[in-house]
Amino acid sequence: MRILLLSQYFVPEITAASFRLQPLVEGLVADGHEVEVVCEVPNHPEGVVHDGFRRRRPVQSRRIDGFTVRYVWVYASPTKSQRKRLLFYGSYALMAMLASAGVQRPDVVLASSPPLPAAVAAMGVARLRRVPWVLDVRDPWPEAPVALGELSNRRVIAALERMERRLYRSASAIVTPTEPFRRDIAAKAGDPAKVSVVPNGTTDAWIEAGEREEDR
């Protein structure tokens, strides 16, 4: 299959998403699939674009381990406010849609959330290309940023909650790592059968590291 992955965060950023998604993409490529990733130019968590990516081009394409990564411009800032966070997430969603218009037609679009605007881009691309799309939900959004104090405006939260329900209903399939998340999403998706639990995995290296004696 030809798979288009939309994730705001990806390597070389040091995030949970990049640690999880890079092995996933490498596994898909090893199984014979063609994968293309659209992510932001690396800037997290400092809000400053990393050296080597500070170009004026809005899209930078690089080849990594058998797959293509398109790094798109985003509104990045070292200071974090609600307004700047929304611009940060929204600019990625817009640029991801524009960058995806130039890729070869995929068989399926996969979006990883949080943040949820990445799923908005995936839904738009899937509709434009007339292909199914799958949503990978790692944390409930906007519930997670509200709990962390990153979002507080009631109107913004209400709008994001409406967006959340619409995205759940639009996706062809939804995966999430825990049963409580599955139940919550299923109640909002309107079709519990399309929501599945895919637990987090690990590697032999991590298991072997855990069996070693601690070096205090």
Side-chain angles (χ1 to χ4, degrees):
M1 296 179 66
R2 186 175 293 112
I3 303 167
L4 177 63
L5 168 62
L6 271 58
S7 172
Q8 180 134 8
Y9 308 110
F10 199 67
V11 294
E13 290 182 324
I14 307 300
T15 68
S18 61
F19 280 127
R20 175 173 47 82
L21 291 174
Q22 184 180 13
L24 171 64
V25 173
E26 291 173 348
L28 291 169
V29 171
D31 284 344
H33 302 289
E34 295 180 24
V35 184
E36 192 151 355
V37 180
V38 178
C39 63
E40 67 179 19
V41 287
N43 69 88
H44 182 80
E46 299 88 355
V48 178
V49 177
H50 294 188
D51 292 339
F53 290 88
R54 295 174 183 173
R55 303 176 184 176
R56 295 186 179 275
R57 288 186 297 173
V59 182
Q60 303 176 42
S61 296
R62 303 196 179 189
R63 193 74 177 167
I64 301 176
D65 297 332
F67 58 92
T68 300
V69 182
R70 292 178 182 251
Y71 295 95
V72 301
W73 174 89
V74 293
Y75 177 85
S77 173
T79 58
K80 311 295 182 183
S81 65
Q82 179 173 280
R83 175 178 173 275
K84 289 184 177 181
R85 288 181 190 278
L86 293 174
L87 287 172
F88 174 57
Y89 299 139
S91 62
Y92 168 74
L94 175 60
M95 290 301 300
M97 289 186 65
L98 293 175
S100 297
V103 307
Q104 191 172 0
R105 183 177 184 269
D107 296 307
V108 63
V109 179
L110 170 63
S112 184
S113 174
L116 201 60
V120 175
M123 180 178 68
V125 173
R127 287 184 175 180
L128 179 65
R129 296 302 185 90
R130 298 182 180 181
V131 296
W133 74 283
V134 177
L135 177 56
D136 171 37
V137 180
R138 312 307 298 185
D139 274 315
W141 218 89
E143 182 179 341
V146 170
L148 293 173
E150 296 176 356
L151 291 175
S152 57
N153 186 292
R154 292 185 178 181
R155 290 185 178 180
V156 172
I157 295 170
L160 291 172
E161 288 174 343
R162 290 193 296 270
M163 178 196 299
E164 177 191 27
R165 290 190 292 271
R166 182 178 180 184
L167 289 167
Y168 289 165
R169 293 176 183 273
S170 169
S172 299
I174 304 171
V175 297
T176 193
T178 70
E179 177 59 26
F181 283 0
R182 187 201 67 78
R183 291 196 299 267
D184 179 66
I185 295 169
K188 300 173 182 177
D191 181 8
K194 71 178 181 181
V195 187
S196 303
V197 173
V198 179
N200 285 323
T202 187
T203 65
D204 290 339
W206 279 102
I207 294 173
E208 291 167 2
E211 292 174 347
R212 297 174 192 158
E213 184 176 353
E214 298 88 345
D215 183 357
R216 301 193 182 279

